[in-house]
Amino acid sequence: MSRDMKEIFGTGQPGGAPPAPAVLAAKVRTLAPSMTRSMQRVAEAVAKDPAGCAALTVTGLAERTGTSEATVVRTARLLGYPGYRDLRLALAGLAAQQQSGRAPALTTDISVDDPLAEVVAKLAHDEQQTLADTAAGLDTTQLGAAVTAAAGARRIDVYGIGASGLVAQDLAQKLLRIGLIAHAHTDPHLAVTNAVQLRSGDVAIAITHSGSTGDVIEPLRVAFEHGATTVAITGRPNGPVTQYADHILTTSTARESELRPAAMSSRTSQLLVVDCLFVGVAQRTYETAGPALAASYEALAHRHRQRR
């Protein structure tokens, strides 16, 4: 995707096919927090009752949600559908899946007095749902483009703060083990000063769940302006970070609660995306990645052998 096209379409993913029905519920969970309250009402309605909403005209859905026809159409487009007709078709497909017994599970909050066994069950359920939503919503075209750029990069810089910084470090150390030059930057000042050194042929990857973390956006902007290929891994595909991203990889999270902050579920989905990116790069560079991995395993083998 060219940067000129990105400026026209804004999202970095122009002209894509509408998401399949199975992806609709995941997109609602991912995008709802960044919507206006009126758009959230529309999104929540179609996710809660796809069969009922599929039977409604655009006017009917607007009346049901207390919004306007324009809001319904804007919500449909934000969810990835060209118009309301396409959204209705997806809703009908989702309703058919639910009737066949494959309805998406609901997230359940953890309360202060939950026994540990129930906490484990709820967390496991939410983690599984987060991974499934992320996999369903991940654009493999965008992923493939990011893999291609990273596989041929002279240097790869990864930016992240807080929990996202841990994911940045995870990706960088994986790439190092297959012989690529990769660095994770969790200090915003060092991130910017390193981004200044990037140029065409380099790759910069920003990891931010909110899509609005200034300390991550700034080095990505600098890298973008210096000609590096830029990638955003974010839970907000319309967030500020995406204006400086050539490729956008979207993550999903479970609903945030008092005892389950967004950093927990965002980390899970981010790790899935960076693992997909890493495996893709390893596949593309296997002639060098394979021996490099073998060498790293051998170098560390003596540390894992049981002492007698």
Side-chain angles (χ1 to χ4, degrees), residues 62-188:
E63 291 176 350
R64 176 171 174 171
T65 56
T67 61
S68 65
E69 294 180 8
T71 298
V72 171
V73 173
R74 283 198 299 270
T75 305
R77 289 177 176 168
L78 182 59
L79 290 172
Y81 302 92
Y84 180 61
R85 176 179 176 276
D86 303 275
L87 175 61
R88 285 184 72 182
L89 290 174
L91 290 173
L94 180 59
Q97 290 177 354
Q98 290 181 337
Q99 290 171 2
S100 69
R102 298 194 304 271
L106 297 176
T107 298
T108 305
D109 287 339
I110 298 172
S111 61
V112 175
D113 55 357
D114 279 345
L116 279 177
E118 192 167 337
V119 169
V120 171
K122 288 181 177 180
L123 282 176
H125 171 271
D126 283 353
E127 296 288 317
Q128 291 169 0
Q129 186 67 64
T130 297
L131 291 172
D133 287 352
T134 299
L138 188 58
D139 186 329
T140 53
T141 300
Q142 292 284 307
L143 176 62
V147 165
T148 299
R154 180 187 70 98
R155 166 181 160 184
I156 302 168
D157 278 13
V158 192
Y159 314 125
I161 300 295
S164 295
L166 299 176
V167 178
Q169 292 173 346
D170 180 79
L171 175 58
Q173 68 90 10
K174 283 185 171 73
L175 294 173
L176 284 169
R177 291 192 68 175
I178 58 173
L180 299 183
I181 299 175
H183 305 281
H185 300 287
T186 58
D187 180 290

Side-chain angles (χ1 to χ4, degrees), residues 154-159 183-185 187-199 202 204 219 222-223 226 228:
R154 180 187 70 98
R155 166 181 160 184
I156 302 168
D157 278 13
V158 192
Y159 314 125
H183 305 281
H185 300 287
D187 180 290
H189 296 283
L190 288 176
V192 171
T193 56
N194 277 272
V196 171
Q197 308 302 322
L198 299 182
R199 59 178 184 269
D202 297 328
V222 173
H226 280 74

Side-chain angles (χ1 to χ4, degrees), residues 6 15 24 27 30 79 132 147 163 223 254 273 280:
K6 180 173 176 56
L24 175 58
K27 289 187 73 69
T30 297
L79 290 172
V147 165
V273 172

